Amino acid sequence: DNCRCAQCVNQDTLQRNFDTFAIPKDLSPQEISPKNDGVDVLWSDSHKSHYPWSWLSLTLRDISHKKLANQEKLWGATIASAPPEVRFDDVMSSTSPKGLADLTSKIRQYGLCFVTDSPKTPEATEKLLETIGPIRNTHYGGFYDFIPDLALADTAYTNLALPAHTDTTYFTEPAGLQAFHLLSHTPPANKPADEVLGGQSLLVDGFHAAETLRKESPGDFEILRKVKLPWHASGNQGVAIAPDMAYPVIETNGGNLHRIRWNNDDRGVVPTDIDVDAWYQAARKWDEILKSKESEFWFQLEPGRVLIFDNWRVLHGRSAFEGLRRICGAYISRDDFISRWKMTNFPREDVIASNMQLR
Ligand SMILES: [Fe+2]
Ligand SMILES: [Zn+2]
């Protein structure tokens, strides 16, 4: 079933090229011959398989998985002194993939990265994001370039303060990456340009907050991990979106944090067949951690400085502002981002071997 010979693996697509179930059930190896580049096995149906050493070692010793593992660096407010960043020209270099590798690796480690010295145009921003992966279309559109008005019914399109949240909690697969580029911020007519206009941006490391909750209040962590909640997007005519099923606030995979889903305004009804008081108590504690000074990374978005962050991990928000802000940005799907991160940071054969034996 895992023969790597040129006949059994489609050499263009690397897909399996035969019918597994046409192989005789009582197949057995007749001859096993080690060679320089791998091992040949002659089977009882007279097929001769070849397995390269590199493929065997990646597959059998399960080292590829560790090699591709991501070292998450959890952070709090102090990240403000040296937030991760890369230069636009390095990311867009046509001669070296190093900048793109650096960008995607930093987003994997920290859940965010700034792209500095970017051209202050939507066109360049869109090109930058497309180097990571295709832009994801939603009912709000694809790549956006807007000045807030309520043409699209969502509080993101106002100038109100927004508490830390993740986007698109109401999708079965929430947006993977999210990007913001502030192109301009002009003061209202009655105010001088040098007066503070507000609109500070906020990021919170949801994984750091979840680990804090797990440490300080393990019972509350378990409640937010176990209780599945409904989420919805209902503000636009003709659109009523909800995920395929209810999802908890904190998702884990083998004990590790996997995804944070938190927008209290988009949350549906807490299920009444559970201990409702216990859920609200856990959510209150979670809210306190998210809003603590130690968690909050406040900064000002600036033209030429694109922010890209992992919407499965990092929550975002902002303070209220005056005047008109022109912001462009987009969503990128998770799988496309992870693919770009792997392909720019690891050898292709290791990536494929790892993908083929994901557990
Ligand atoms: Fe948002
Ligand atoms: Zn074969």
Side-chain angles (χ1 to χ4, degrees), residues 156-352:
Y157 297 87
T158 66
N159 54 5
L160 303 172
L162 292 173
H165 63 279
T166 63
D167 269 14
T168 60
T169 56
Y170 41 74
F171 284 157
T172 302
E173 186 200 317
L177 295 185
Q178 148 105 294
F180 289 129
H181 188 187
L182 177 78
L183 296 171
S184 64
H185 191 169
T186 43
N190 58 343
K191 289 229 168 162
D194 55 353
E195 231 173 78
V196 178
L197 303 171
Q200 288 260 329
S201 291
L202 167 68
L203 293 177
V204 175
D205 184 354
F207 282 8
H208 187 213
E211 289 300 356
T212 304
L213 182 67
R214 171 144 59 183
K215 208 168 77 200
E216 290 180 1
S217 196
D220 290 336
F221 177 90
E222 273 310 295
I223 289 171
L224 294 190
R225 194 180 69 81
K226 279 201 182 127
V227 174
K228 298 184 171 107
L229 302 161
W231 308 89
H232 75 116
S234 311
N236 291 279
Q237 275 304 317
V239 179
I241 294 177
D244 58 345
M245 56 183 209
Y247 283 91
V249 175
I250 298 170
E251 287 175 79
T252 55
N253 180 10
N256 296 320
L257 292 169
H258 177 62
R259 180 164 56 196
I260 304 296
R261 193 185 291 253
W262 184 248
N263 183 337
N264 194 51
D265 299 349
D266 295 341
R267 178 173 54 72
V269 177
V270 177
T272 49
D273 58 348
I274 63 153
D275 183 345
V276 172
D277 290 343
W279 187 87
Y280 278 103
Q281 188 200 302
R284 191 176 295 277
K285 173 81 185 160
W286 169 242
D287 182 69
E288 263 166 38
I289 294 169
L290 292 177
K291 287 176 179 160
S292 74
K293 281 279 150 290
E294 294 72 48
S295 297
E296 293 182 328
F297 167 30
W298 285 100
F299 58 98
Q300 197 79 51
L301 285 169
E302 289 163 32
R305 196 171 159 83
V306 183
L307 167 66
I308 306 174
F309 61 94
D310 179 351
N311 185 58
W312 284 20
R313 167 176 167 185
V314 170
L315 300 87
H316 64 284
R318 63 157 192 244
S319 63
F321 63 91
E322 291 177 87
L324 285 180
R325 297 212 306 179
R326 181 181 175 196
I327 290 191
C328 68
Y331 296 132
I332 295 165
S333 293
R334 172 79 175 186
D335 292 351
D336 294 308
F337 158 58
I338 295 293
S339 165
R340 186 68 78 230
W341 165 67
K342 287 177 179 171
M343 295 305 281
T344 52
N345 282 279
F346 305 97
R348 181 165 186 262
E349 60 194 59
D350 290 6
V351 171
I352 292 167

Side-chain angles (χ1 to χ4, degrees), residues 3 5 8 47:
C3 181
C5 86
C8 288
H47 185 76

